[in-house]
Amino acid sequence: MKSVTMRDVAQEAEVAQSTVSHFLNGTAPVAIETQKKIIQAIRKLNYYPNVTARNFKQRKTNIIGLLIPDITNMFYAELAKGVIETAKEKNYNLLLYATDYQRRLEKDYIELIVSKQVDGVVVGYNLIDEKLWDKLKEARVPVSTIDVSPVNDFWPSVFLNNEEGIQQGLSYLVKIGHRQIAYLSEPPYALALVERQRAFLRSVRSLKLDFRENWILVEKKQRKRVEIGFSLGEKLMSERPLPTAVMCSSDLVAVGAMKAFLSAGLKVPEDISIIGFDDILLCSYVHPSLTSIKQPKYDMGKIGIELLEEVIANREPREKEKRVVVNPSLVKRQSCRALND
Amino acid sequence: MKSVTMRDVAQEAEVAQSTVSHFLNGTAPVAIETQKKIIQAIRKLNYYPNVTARNFKQRKTNIIGLLIPDITNMFYAELAKGVIETAKEKNYNLLLYATDYQRRLEKDYIELIVSKQVDGVVVGYNLIDEKLWDKLKEARVPVSTIDVSPVNDFWPSVFLNNEEGIQQGLSYLVKIGHRQIAYLSEPPYALALVERQRAFLRSVRSLKLDFRENWILVEKKQRKRVEIGFSLGEKLMSERPLPTAVMCSSDLVAVGAMKAFLSAGLKVPEDISIIGFDDILLCSYVHPSLTSIKQPKYDMGKIGIELLEEVIANREPREKEKRVVVNPSLVKRQSCRALND
DNA sequence: CTGAAAGCGCTAACAC
DNA sequence: GTGTTAGCGCTTTCAG
């Protein structure tokens, strides 16, 4: 059950093994006649180069890891798409590490990463166990991060300008006549969520909107975000007066809230307007389709790889790493209605 | 910039390299004193084993490939989740090959697969270029397939019992009083879709339902499935009489059709009931939530890995490979209404 | 242009 | 229990 090696090919073609190697890699010119013999031998023996041997020799794997919690979360899936396609363009393959929010898996994966299973890793969420960052650091693994709270400046990172996003949403709502706007949020376990909430409060003030404490609903308990949205939506409906519009910390929360409104017989957007955040594919699947603040996930994934590539190339970390801030954009759909028409 | 090797550890601990190896792999008993020395050396030098070297030596990578078209398609994401988690349990890692429906990428990935970048591959869709199956075969790559039209019996495979699924959906609709049921389908480019359509026709006959040619709407053009659903939904609404319920070839088509109905002012399920197929996460996100025929994607992914593992272990293909048929189940939600209440 | 030769870091006989 | 040794399949000098 031995497999065909380069040596076999060389023998068959009656040339040196190194010649085959040179030919295959284009690392040295090879006479056209010799080429033919080699090609023939490869065909005849049905030879395929062994990438593991090559990786071993070259001390790299051409594989990049992507560490995320859950691939069935559309946000991460869309991010992963950008990562994987960009990686492919740069001739990297992608190893998917999905932790399922489990500490143990997170640790296992970091262990693998540190053992040079990959040339580098893109981390797409805040590690549960913060100590693991140090492990990555000690092992000098090339890393780039996407939307990760800055535990340090050790690695380059991509962030969304969350403040800008909230402002865009709010400005739009104001422009179409809303002044009474609620904010619904999942638990702000990540910096991004804290920023959004803060930006909302700040903007409400600067735009001089009507403000009511009980229009700001932030869930405490961690659970499915659609459920969070649903229960927050229900709670909001029990408040009086009702706001005319609501901004949400994410699309999933928005969709949940929308379900609550529609279930209660409210009409969206006739009775209440709603804006999500992230602009995942789901937004255009629901009815009415959801207006949302787009987070350029694909691009962020792409940038994540580009940054990682630089780290891999440089090897030595710089004193302070690069930060790329990307801008959100408002995607208007059917969930908002103009009051001042 | 050399990295720490096992040899360095051995030197530091003043033992033989093989002893370190034995200790690390538990392949031979090591005296407790020696163990301590080794552990200390590892700590001191900050050593991590090089998995590539190990892979090379052992002629395996502990990596399994998953070949799918698009990870942002929730169906594949849910499948991938089953695959990746099961793989992890069995100590395999997962390399994600997403072709984006492109012939060129498909070919590139197959090339990598035959070059032993992975120990085996789970193929989750029908390859565009059928010749590539032969390439896999020639290179004797371990393969298992999920929901792939049986081009051959060369590899073990998992299938859904599509007929059963359609029957379950239809029986349910009949039980709650529907007799006029339409069928909306995307282009039947895969066997599964052909089977569903055939099963629908057959069941309509056996259940003696009202049948009308123009309640069977099958899209010709390949495009986004929600759009297909939407336009099929619109087309259906122009027919008279209208059916009281509609079955769809997939959830995405169902969601599109639902959008069309709701946009036109029809109420779901009051005016028309609707059932999807696959039961992707989306079903519970939309309003009304979508009743659907569940395809156990996670389990299918899991089984895909289990089958692949067998192939890897056996090495020699059997004359006729195993087929696992899994059963669908009906998940009732809010999109169907009983007519006979 | 081609070939000989030296390893990459590790595992696994095998001997002691 | 521990050490010696022989490669795994490939890339990459370096000579010729």
Side-chain angles (χ1 to χ4, degrees):
Chain A
M1 195 61 218
K2 270 189 80 315
S3 70
V4 185
T5 74
M6 215 157 92
R7 168 176 245 91
D8 301 328
V9 173
Q11 217 147 47
E12 176 72 28
E14 301 179 296
V15 296
Q17 196 216 52
S18 57
T19 305
V20 179
S21 174
H22 280 136
F23 168 59
L24 256 26
N25 300 305
T27 43
V30 172
I32 193 85
E33 267 311 307
T34 317
Q35 292 191 18
K36 276 187 194 149
K37 285 196 290 183
I38 294 175
I39 291 173
Q40 230 166 58
I42 289 178
R43 281 261 169 65
K44 176 161 176 208
L45 301 179
N46 198 20
Y47 166 79
Y48 294 100
N50 180 328
V51 289
T52 307
R54 160 187 239 145
N55 290 342
F56 171 48
K57 179 68 189 178
Q58 300 190 150
R59 279 105 149 259
K60 62 195 204 74
T61 62
N62 280 312
I63 297 176
I64 283 179
L66 173 63
L67 191 59
I68 53 171
D70 180 13
I71 194 66
T72 66
N73 177 322
M74 295 173 99
F75 178 83
Y76 292 113
E78 294 177 42
L79 193 75
K81 185 167 183 161
V83 169
I84 189 170
E85 291 189 356
T86 312
K88 183 73 188 77
E89 275 166 30
K90 299 181 181 297
N91 273 308
Y92 280 108
N93 283 101
L94 193 93
L95 205 46
L96 188 59
Y97 299 117
T99 65
D100 196 30
Y101 302 97
Q102 290 179 244
R103 247 192 151 76
R104 201 183 53 74
L105 285 180
E106 186 175 278
K107 187 157 182 297
D108 285 359
Y109 285 136
I110 297 279
E111 205 73 46
L112 253 7
I113 291 167
V114 155
S115 301
K116 303 169 201 65
Q117 186 183 43
V118 294
D119 293 342
V121 64
V122 176
V123 181
Y125 75 104
N126 286 285
L127 297 183
I128 308 171
D129 183 356
E130 301 204 348
K131 293 209 187 79
L132 294 175
W133 290 114
D134 296 328
K135 192 153 190 177
L136 251 17
K137 213 181 290 185
E138 276 167 25
R140 318 170 114 252
V141 178
V143 172
S144 75
T145 65
I146 299 179
D147 198 23
V148 162
S149 306
V151 271
N152 54 58
D153 291 323
F154 202 70
W155 297 297
S157 48
V158 199
F159 287 93
L160 180 77
N161 187 333
N162 287 293
E163 167 134 29
E164 169 69 21
I166 293 292
Q167 280 173 9
Q168 286 181 12
L170 243 24
S171 307
Y172 169 63
L173 285 175
V174 167
K175 206 178 69 192
I176 59 176
H178 295 270
R179 303 202 60 79
Q180 304 173 324
I181 306 174
Y183 183 74
L184 267 38
S185 174
E186 59 210 279
Y189 54 87
L191 183 62
L193 293 168
V194 176
E195 287 177 352
R196 288 176 203 172
Q197 189 176 335
R198 202 155 28 184
F200 180 84
L201 263 14
R202 196 150 37 203
S203 292
V204 161
R205 221 171 312 129
S206 70
L207 291 169
K208 299 196 167 42
L209 301 183
D210 301 355
F211 176 74
R212 302 191 135 257
E213 194 71 63
N214 45 12
W215 283 349
I216 310 292
L217 263 31
V218 178
E219 173 74 23
K220 296 247 168 36
K221 217 171 72 219
Q222 198 58 275
R223 53 187 165 134
K224 289 211 182 130
R225 287 189 290 171
V226 175
E227 287 170 21
I228 291 174
F230 192 88
S231 84
L232 257 30
E234 284 186 322
K235 202 191 286 179
L236 184 65
M237 283 187 293
S238 69
E239 303 291 346
R240 285 296 173 277
L242 237 43
T244 60
V246 13
M247 282 231 40
C248 299
S249 61
S250 72
D251 290 331
L252 255 16
V253 168
V255 163
M258 196 154 95
K259 276 173 79 86
F261 299 154
L262 294 172
S263 298
L266 281 186
K267 287 210 176 1
V268 177
E270 290 77 0
D271 299 325
I272 192 161
S273 292
I274 181 162
I275 294 190
F277 205 111
D278 288 344
D279 191 44
I280 58 179
L281 255 17
L282 174 62
C283 294
S284 49
Y285 294 167
V286 295
H287 181 87
S289 58
L290 184 65
T291 291
S292 184
I293 293 148
K294 174 171 180 165
Q295 188 159 184
K297 299 161 290 295
Y298 187 95
D299 294 341
M300 289 166 78
K302 185 182 168 76
I303 295 168
I305 286 288
E306 289 166 351
L307 292 174
L308 181 59
E309 198 187 25
E310 282 179 37
V311 180
I312 292 175
N314 289 329
R315 300 296 353 199
E316 293 311 318
R318 298 170 242 182
E319 64 295 349
K320 189 162 169 34
E321 271 299 348
K322 186 157 41 167
R323 275 169 168 247
V324 177
V325 178
V326 296
N327 278 310
S329 55
L330 182 72
V331 180
K332 296 178 196 168
R333 295 203 181 80
Q334 311 166 328
S335 65
C336 295
R337 163 190 165 227
L339 291 184
N340 48 2
D341 273 357
Chain B
M1 197 60 220
K2 268 191 81 316
S3 70
V4 185
T5 73
M6 216 157 93
R7 166 176 248 93
D8 300 329
V9 173
Q11 217 148 48
E12 177 71 29
E14 300 179 298
V15 297
Q17 197 215 53
S18 58
T19 306
V20 179
S21 173
H22 280 136
F23 168 58
L24 256 26
N25 301 305
T27 43
V30 172
I32 194 84
E33 267 311 307
T34 318
Q35 291 191 20
K36 276 188 193 148
K37 284 196 291 182
I38 294 175
I39 291 173
Q40 228 166 59
I42 288 179
R43 281 263 168 65
K44 176 162 177 208
L45 301 179
N46 199 18
Y47 166 80
Y48 294 100
N50 180 328
V51 288
T52 307
R54 162 188 236 141
N55 290 341
F56 171 49
K57 177 69 189 179
Q58 300 191 150
R59 280 103 150 261
K60 62 196 204 74
T61 62
N62 280 313
I63 297 177
I64 283 178
L66 172 63
L67 190 60
I68 53 171
D70 180 13
I71 194 66
T72 66
N73 177 323
M74 296 172 98
F75 178 82
Y76 292 113
E78 294 176 42
L79 193 74
K81 185 167 185 162
V83 169
I84 190 172
E85 295 193 3
T86 312
K88 184 72 187 78
E89 275 166 29
K90 299 181 181 298
N91 272 307
Y92 279 107
N93 283 101
L94 193 92
L95 205 46
L96 188 59
Y97 298 118
T99 65
D100 198 29
Y101 302 97
Q102 290 179 244
R103 248 193 150 75
R104 201 183 53 73
L105 286 180
E106 185 175 278
K107 187 158 182 297
D108 286 359
Y109 285 136
I110 297 280
E111 205 74 46
L112 254 8
I113 292 166
V114 297
S115 299
K116 304 170 200 63
Q117 187 183 41
V118 294
D119 293 342
V121 64
V122 177
V123 181
Y125 74 105
N126 285 286
L127 297 183
I128 307 171
D129 184 355
E130 301 204 348
K131 293 210 186 79
L132 295 175
W133 290 113
D134 296 328
K135 194 154 189 176
L136 251 18
K137 213 180 291 185
E138 276 167 26
R140 317 170 115 251
V141 178
V143 172
S144 74
T145 66
I146 299 179
D147 198 24
V148 162
S149 306
V151 270
N152 54 59
D153 291 323
F154 203 70
W155 297 297
S157 47
V158 199
F159 288 93
L160 180 77
N161 188 335
N162 286 293
E163 167 134 29
E164 169 70 21
I166 292 292
Q167 280 174 9
Q168 286 181 12
L170 243 24
S171 307
Y172 169 63
L173 286 175
V174 167
K175 204 177 69 191
I176 60 176
H178 295 271
R179 303 203 58 80
Q180 304 173 323
I181 306 174
Y183 182 73
L184 266 37
S185 174
E186 58 209 282
Y189 54 87
L191 183 62
L193 293 168
V194 175
E195 287 177 351
R196 288 175 203 174
Q197 190 177 334
R198 202 156 27 184
F200 180 84
L201 263 13
R202 197 153 32 206
S203 292
V204 162
R205 221 171 312 129
S206 69
L207 292 169
K208 298 197 168 43
L209 301 183
D210 301 354
F211 176 74
R212 302 192 134 255
E213 193 72 63
N214 45 11
W215 283 348
I216 310 293
L217 263 30
V218 179
E219 173 74 22
K220 295 248 169 33
K221 218 171 72 219
Q222 199 58 275
R223 54 186 164 134
K224 291 209 181 129
R225 288 189 291 171
V226 175
E227 287 171 20
I228 290 175
F230 192 87
S231 83
L232 256 29
E234 284 186 321
K235 203 191 285 180
L236 183 65
M237 283 187 292
S238 68
E239 303 292 345
R240 286 298 174 277
L242 237 44
T244 60
V246 12
M247 284 231 38
C248 298
S249 60
S250 72
D251 290 331
L252 255 17
V253 168
V255 163
M258 197 154 95
K259 277 174 78 86
F261 300 154
L262 295 172
S263 299
L266 281 186
K267 288 209 175 5
V268 177
E270 289 78 0
D271 299 325
I272 192 161
S273 292
I274 181 162
I275 295 191
F277 205 110
D278 288 344
D279 190 44
I280 57 179
L281 256 17
L282 174 62
C283 293
S284 49
Y285 294 167
V286 295
H287 182 86
S289 58
L290 184 65
T291 291
S292 184
I293 293 147
K294 173 170 180 165
Q295 189 160 182
K297 300 161 289 295
Y298 186 96
D299 294 340
M300 289 166 78
K302 185 182 170 76
I303 295 169
I305 286 289
E306 289 167 351
L307 292 175
L308 181 59
E309 198 187 25
E310 281 180 37
V311 180
I312 292 175
N314 289 328
R315 298 299 348 203
E316 294 310 318
R318 297 171 243 184
E319 63 294 350
K320 190 162 170 30
E321 272 298 348
K322 186 155 43 167
R323 274 167 171 249
V324 178
V325 177
V326 296
N327 279 310
S329 55
L330 182 72
V331 181
K332 296 178 196 168
R333 295 202 181 80
Q334 310 166 328
S335 65
C336 295
R337 163 190 165 227
L339 291 184
N340 47 3
D341 272 357

